[in-house]
Amino acid sequence: TQLLEQSPQFLSIQEGENLTVYCNSSSVFSSLQWYRQEPGEGPVLLVTVVTGGEVKKLKRLTFQFGDARKDSSLHITAAQPGDTGLYLCAGGNQGGKLIFGQGTELSVKP
Amino acid sequence: GAVVSQHPSWVICKSGTSVKIECRSLDFQATTMFWYRQFPKQSLMLMATSNEGSKATYEQGVEKDKFLINHASLTLSTLTVTSAHPEDSSFYICSARDWGVRREQYFGPGTRLTVT
């Protein structure tokens, strides 16, 4: 059974601080997605990484896929209150099935 | 990005009744759709994989007779919660896989089910 361990599960920081969220697994994934979810809504895709060692940037967000394609990180620089939400990582396999991490509830206080 | 809709967005039903939730891919064809369940402050739990024209594949621990899935067309999958009980109350989310150019999985807005 493929599992994704996401940490931390809760994070409360002040505006302007940096943060990193981690997703780790003992399994290899064909792709790794990061989503953001607002309360009462479905997850919205932020990025997909597919190549080991790949780094993608989305404004203040930096996503990295581990060389062995077993882990990933999301780094947010100078967090803003608008970044508040639930961040989810999900590992994909060839069949298209996604395995989700536990999620990180981020709260950025002004 | 691609659009996936769900209907209804919320529903309240009485114990013992059945509820049908629809998931539609609006601008692409989805041979594969997925159904998830999410409890408050928790992550998404995959319930089943819905394949157009064939039987759904259920994850371990998910009762297939209770959660009936039908994927009759390339743009529509339905989840029917049969003989609903209060413990079935949850946020149900579907996603649709675009196997075309984009090759991404897109999520619907979710359906809040409350069983009284």
Side-chain angles (χ1 to χ4, degrees):
Chain A
T1 304
Q2 292 181 304
L3 293 173
L4 259 180
E5 295 290 333
Q6 187 172 344
S7 62
Q9 292 189 37
F10 300 95
L11 195 52
S12 181
I13 61 173
Q14 292 295 129
E15 182 177 3
E17 292 184 7
N18 302 331
L19 67 112
T20 303
V21 179
Y22 299 93
C23 269
N24 296 291
S25 176
S26 58
S27 304
V28 175
F29 291 100
S30 58
S31 65
L32 202 296
Q33 284 81 33
W34 285 92
Y35 294 85
R36 180 181 163 190
Q37 186 181 23
E38 300 284 350
E41 299 179 10
V44 175
L45 180 66
L46 296 174
V47 78
T48 298
V49 285
V50 296
T51 305
E54 183 176 3
V55 177
K56 283 191 174 179
K57 291 191 175 185
L58 187 65
K59 297 183 180 178
R60 292 176 293 100
L61 278 60
T62 302
F63 306 86
Q64 186 164 7
F65 201 12
D67 291 339
R69 290 186 290 133
K70 294 182 179 180
D71 54 86
S72 181
S73 64
L74 157 61
H75 182 80
I76 300 179
T77 303
Q80 299 176 1
D83 295 328
T84 294
L86 178 66
Y87 290 82
L88 298 159
C89 65
N93 60 26
Q94 296 296 340
K97 188 187 293 189
L98 291 179
I99 306 298
F100 278 86
Q102 297 95 327
T104 296
E105 190 76 43
L106 173 64
S107 174
V108 183
K109 293 179 170 46
Chain B
V3 180
V4 175
S5 70
Q6 276 184 246
H7 178 80
S9 55
W10 60 270
V11 57
I12 301 173
C13 70
K14 293 186 176 181
S15 289
T17 61
S18 295
V19 174
K20 180 184 286 188
I21 302 170
E22 293 185 349
C23 178
R24 293 181 186 273
S25 57
L26 299 185
D27 55 354
F28 66 98
Q29 292 183 333
T31 55
T32 307
M33 291 185 173
F34 302 89
W35 286 96
Y36 297 84
R37 184 173 180 176
Q38 185 178 33
F39 292 104
K41 301 293 185 182
Q42 293 188 22
S43 187
L44 279 69
M45 182 190 76
L46 179 65
M47 298 174 67
T49 302
S50 171
N51 297 297
E52 187 267 336
S54 64
K55 290 184 178 181
T57 304
Y58 291 82
E59 295 299 302
Q60 191 173 8
V62 178
E63 299 176 62
K64 61 181 179 181
D65 294 330
K66 181 167 187 61
F67 298 100
L68 300 178
I69 292 172
N70 184 277
H71 194 157
S73 78
L74 288 172
T75 59
L76 173 65
S77 176
T78 59
L79 168 68
T80 302
V81 182
T82 63
S83 187
H85 288 109
E87 55 265 32
D88 298 325
S89 298
S90 190
F91 194 51
Y92 291 89
I93 306 174
C94 73
S95 69
R97 172 83 180 188
D98 181 1
W99 291 103
V101 176
R102 286 173 290 208
R103 301 185 69 82
E104 300 283 4
Q105 192 170 140
Y106 299 94
F107 285 81
T111 296
R112 171 72 59 193
L113 169 63
T114 301
V115 184
T116 61

